Amino acid sequence: MKRLASASPARAVQGFTLIEVIVAFAVLALALTLLLGTLSGAAKQVRWADDAGRAALHAQSLLDQTGVGEALQPGQSDGEFEDGRYRWSLQVEPWRDQGAQAAGLIDPGASQLMRLTLLVQWGDGGPRQQLQLQSLRLVAPDPRSAMSLP
């Protein structure tokens, strides 16, 4: 029986073929694309969370200041924060309890509830993001109008 001679040591270490190298680069490129896409999505979410948090802080601050130092009157006002980055619109209107109004239980000289609806919008380019908050405030009656009642 004749034995085949083993391959020489120089011939045993041949390396990778061209196809194997191309496939390895393709897999690496695909993995990097997926990784960068994930990181990009995470960065967008972090930016959105930061913007939404800042909008909530501005909205809470505006609601806290509304009606302090001046009488709260029905109407609409608007403005902006951070040089136009956030825009807000505040609607103030009397809140009516439908049940009490139908039963005639509303005293014109009593304190009144006002509903505040605040809309904060932000975003550049695509669709604007928005945050809407509502609150009720108890407004004391104007003593001058109570004196004019018969």
Side-chain angles (χ1 to χ4, degrees), residues 51-68 81 86 88 90 116-120 122 131-137:
D51 289 345
R54 293 174 71 85
L57 287 173
H58 286 309
Q60 187 63 45
S61 175
L62 182 64
L63 282 177
D64 288 346
Q65 294 172 6
T66 301
V68 175
F81 300 116
Y86 298 92
W88 59 269
L90 177 65
L116 284 69
T117 304
L118 177 63
L119 179 67
V120 179
W122 70 95
L131 170 69
Q132 182 176 359
L133 300 174
Q134 289 189 346
S135 179
L136 291 175
R137 295 284 170 87

Side-chain angles (χ1 to χ4, degrees), residues 42-55:
K44 286 179 186 176
Q45 288 179 344
V46 167
R47 185 177 45 228
W48 180 88
D50 180 53
D51 289 345
R54 293 174 71 85

Side-chain angles (χ1 to χ4, degrees), residues 15-70:
F16 297 103
T17 65
L18 181 58
I19 292 180
E20 290 173 330
V21 171
I22 290 174
V23 168
F25 275 121
V27 168
L28 181 64
L30 180 64
L32 286 176
T33 302
L34 293 175
L35 178 66
L36 291 176
T38 302
L39 291 177
S40 173
K44 286 179 186 176
Q45 288 179 344
V46 167
R47 185 177 45 228
W48 180 88
D50 180 53
D51 289 345
R54 293 174 71 85
L57 287 173
H58 286 309
Q60 187 63 45
S61 175
L62 182 64
L63 282 177
D64 288 346
Q65 294 172 6
T66 301
V68 175
E70 61 184 41

